[in-house]
Amino acid sequence: MTAEAEASLHLRYGSGVQHAEAPRHWKLRTLGTVPHEEGRSERSVVMDVLSAPIGAKKLQETVRPDENILVLVPDKTRRCRMDVVLPVLLDLLAGCGIPDSAITILFAMGTHPPQTPEERAALLGEEVCARYRVLEHDARDTGTQLHVGTTAAGTDIRLNRLVCETDRVIAVGTIVHHYFAGFGGGAKLFVPGVASHETAVANHRRTITSDGRFHPGCSDGAIDGNPVIGDIMDAVRFLPPTWYFATLLDTEGKIVDGVCGDLVAAHAEGCRRVDARYRVDVHRAADIMIVSTGGYPKDINFIQAHKSLHHAAYVTRPGGSIIFLAECREGIGNDTFLPWFDLPDGEALREALLRHYTMNAHT
């Protein structure tokens, strides 16, 4: 839009909002999706999703009373409204005759640091934490991991043994665009979600080409020709029977849609819906881009927050400026990140990426 008078800017920052007035002479355009008007409650949306599984039978027609169930859930860096979804899913399992003692909830932490009991309760709900066995994956604890196979690309897949030893996994998450894996959610709940640190590093280093550059196939919404997600999807054949539920959230963080059923088929449909709803066409690069991550938990640390900076760079002209708002209440997010900035130039960086890649080095 063209601003005839000063325009007020309101951008989410942590758990609050930052406000500013834009100069009178700026021509402003706001990039974002139109808020979704949803008359139904979040619980009713979840129930509607459960009634229409994709590529699989309904959950209550899939599980058996004698099964041990492992429920995979994302950690605090992902917002998916588990406090709404899990009680519904767990009630369904109870109605199928599965006792609480046969259900374990495992946080798919990836390589992220552990959470506090309070943080776990905030995500799952205090009643769920009190009623069920709740654990966190530790990517560096090799004693809790088993080798299940090697992908065609050569990645050794080591997973938390709870995944390998259960009768069935119910994977719960959300689907969003992802800056190098195309989309978040789906099989990423397993790799890197409950994979060893070595498996995660081997997979993530596929973001780097043989000459030390960011792979052109690794971008938001890109699946075909994406070496990272291709490697992850190849690992699906090593997984136990899995039933999948993923939320789609609006800009306010409320559940407005979702998919469930087969891990691959349901996730593919969810990715299509996310792309249709949240991709924004931009026909002219901006001189100045003011960007917010959308607040907590997307700006919990810099590693997570930078994804919005990555997006902003897509639509800012060479030589333009980006003003980036991110609270980063937990700092950088990875101790191995800052030393990469000590390298003298791009050539030294490319050489180091090829010789000494570490987690998040591609970032």
Side-chain angles (χ1 to χ4, degrees), residues 121-157:
L123 292 169
L124 304 182
E126 292 185 1
E127 182 178 346
V128 169
C129 288
R131 181 174 171 181
Y132 298 92
R133 181 188 185 204
V134 178
L135 302 173
E136 290 187 348
H137 172 67
D138 182 349
R140 295 184 181 276
D141 186 356
T142 58
T144 63
Q145 299 155 9
L146 294 176
H147 182 267
V148 295
T150 302
T151 65
T155 302
D156 286 328
I157 305 298

Side-chain angles (χ1 to χ4, degrees), residues 155-325:
T155 302
D156 286 328
I157 305 298
R158 295 183 179 276
L159 300 177
N160 191 300
R161 67 168 56 245
L162 292 175
V163 173
C164 308
E165 296 173 350
T166 194
D167 295 315
R168 189 176 307 278
V169 173
I170 299 175
V172 184
T174 191
I175 305 173
V176 295
H177 285 107
H178 191 279
Y179 78 109
F180 71 79
F183 294 91
K188 282 184 89 273
L189 281 162
F190 293 89
V191 180
V194 289
S196 71
H197 185 266
E198 291 74 19
T199 295
V201 169
N203 173 257
H204 281 43
R205 76 181 304 151
R206 301 191 187 285
T207 54
I208 305 301
T209 62
S210 59
D211 62 350
R213 299 177 187 275
F214 202 89
H215 196 289
C218 294
S219 63
D220 295 85
I223 297 176
D224 294 338
N226 185 322
V228 174
I229 198 61
D231 193 43
I232 292 172
M233 294 308 296
D234 189 38
V236 169
R237 57 195 169 104
F238 306 128
L239 302 180
T242 299
W243 200 89
Y244 180 56
F245 188 103
T247 60
L248 275 64
L249 307 181
D250 67 6
T251 55
E252 301 299 320
K254 295 182 179 179
I255 302 171
V256 293
D257 197 2
V259 292
C260 71
D262 178 72
L263 177 65
V264 175
H267 183 67
E269 170 59 19
C271 291
R272 187 194 66 77
R273 296 183 193 180
V274 166
D275 216 37
R277 180 172 290 172
Y278 299 119
R279 181 182 291 271
V280 177
D281 291 326
V282 178
H283 303 292
R284 180 181 179 276
D287 297 316
I288 298 175
M289 177 64 66
I290 304 173
V291 60
S292 158
T293 69
Y296 184 87
K298 293 181 179 181
D299 65 356
I300 190 172
N301 58 46
F302 186 76
I303 293 293
Q304 294 301 324
H306 101 281
K307 297 170 184 176
S308 296
L309 182 61
H310 193 98
H311 297 159
Y314 286 150
V315 291
T316 305
R317 68 167 176 81
S321 298
I322 297 175
I323 301 172
F324 179 48
L325 282 76

Side-chain angles (χ1 to χ4, degrees), residues 56-69:
K57 295 180 179 180
K58 294 180 180 179
L59 180 60
Q60 57 269 41
E61 298 170 355
T62 301
V63 298
R64 301 190 310 270
D66 60 343
E67 288 184 329
N68 287 307
I69 303 292

